[in-house]
Amino acid sequence: MANIGIYVGSANGITLAVGEQIQEALGEDNCDLFDLEDDYLGFDEMLEYDVLIFGCSTWGSGEVQFNWVEPLQDLANEKPDFSGKTIALFGAGDYVDHGEQFVSALGVLYDKFTGRGANFIAPFPTDGYTYKYSNAVRDGKFVGFPFDQVNEKDKTPERLGRWLEILKADLA
Ligand SMILES: Cc1cc2nc3c(=O)[nH]c(=O)nc-3n(C[C@H](O)[C@H](O)[C@H](O)COP(=O)(O)O)c2cc1C
């Protein structure tokens, strides 16, 4: 069985497409990809993976994409133990129309899963990003990999490449 599980909440497929690229970069033998729209079976399945990579775009004003709502409710109700689990985050946002909460959903996931004992890897420098506020920035870095396919599509491949290097180094 693969030891990395990628779980993605994505309304229009933007974050899911990047999830597919991450799976390809890490190797499909090592890495299973789940679209939370159809493939959420609960935490027992998720906890079979040592490494979890969570993708989530930001909606509302700084909120998680809808398909993460049920898992987060289960997390609050069932209180599963994520101690010893390694988590990395990525997600789409829009810094022009929503720069007051740029990719803030990553900060929401970070807080919820930190509270359940998980250890986060692969933060990303804020250099080169423009935004007014982001709940995803902690200690001066994004808690995961943010990208903006609405306004900065051309920058995503280079940013993703850089983040994958950080991710692979943190996993080594
Ligand atoms: C109603 C609405 C609210 C949004 N709210 C935010 C937000 O608070 N922060 C942000 O960075 N992006 C926000 N976005 C932008 C989406 O995250 C962006 O369009 C993203 O590419 C969607 O990716 P997905 O297809 O993976 O869901 C919002 C978009 C819409 C239409």
Side-chain angles (χ1 to χ4, degrees):
M1 187 188 141
N3 79 330
I4 303 175
I6 305 179
Y7 288 81
V8 185
S10 176
N12 299 319
I14 302 287
T15 306
L16 189 60
V18 170
E20 286 166 358
Q21 291 177 53
I22 294 168
Q23 183 192 29
E24 196 177 322
L26 296 177
E28 291 189 16
D29 292 345
N30 300 323
C31 209
D32 295 330
L33 175 70
F34 301 91
D35 179 353
L36 288 171
E37 173 87 36
D38 320 301
D39 285 341
Y40 173 61
L41 295 176
F43 285 113
D44 286 350
E45 176 201 68
M46 228 181 243
L47 285 164
E48 288 180 16
Y49 296 96
D50 298 325
V51 177
L52 293 156
I53 303 180
F54 293 155
C56 183
S57 51
T58 300
W59 286 81
S61 183
E63 289 152 32
V64 294
Q65 192 274 333
F66 179 72
N67 295 325
W68 269 105
V69 170
E70 186 187 346
L72 291 185
Q73 278 169 353
D74 289 350
L75 190 74
N77 293 334
E78 297 167 19
K79 301 185 171 42
D81 184 9
F82 275 77
S83 306
K85 299 295 174 187
T86 297
I87 298 183
L89 300 172
F90 67 100
D94 173 346
Y95 88 88
V96 173
D97 283 349
H98 301 279
E100 72 294 342
Q101 284 289 356
F102 181 58
V103 299
S104 285
L106 300 187
V108 175
L109 293 184
Y110 180 83
D111 288 337
K112 302 275 188 203
F113 284 91
T114 299
R116 301 268 20 108
N119 177 42
F120 281 85
I121 59 167
F124 200 61
T126 56
D127 308 76
Y129 287 87
T130 310
Y131 54 90
K132 289 194 197 80
Y133 171 78
S134 174
N135 180 34
V137 175
R138 306 295 165 90
D139 296 328
K141 284 187 172 184
F142 288 111
V143 293
F145 170 55
F147 53 94
D148 182 338
Q149 297 298 76
V150 182
N151 310 293
E152 296 187 321
K153 202 173 181 175
D154 53 324
K155 294 188 179 174
T156 301
E158 182 275 329
R159 287 171 168 171
L160 176 59
R162 240 181 329 126
W163 185 69
L164 285 169
E165 291 308 310
I166 295 168
L167 179 68
K168 286 176 187 170
D170 285 358
L171 286 173

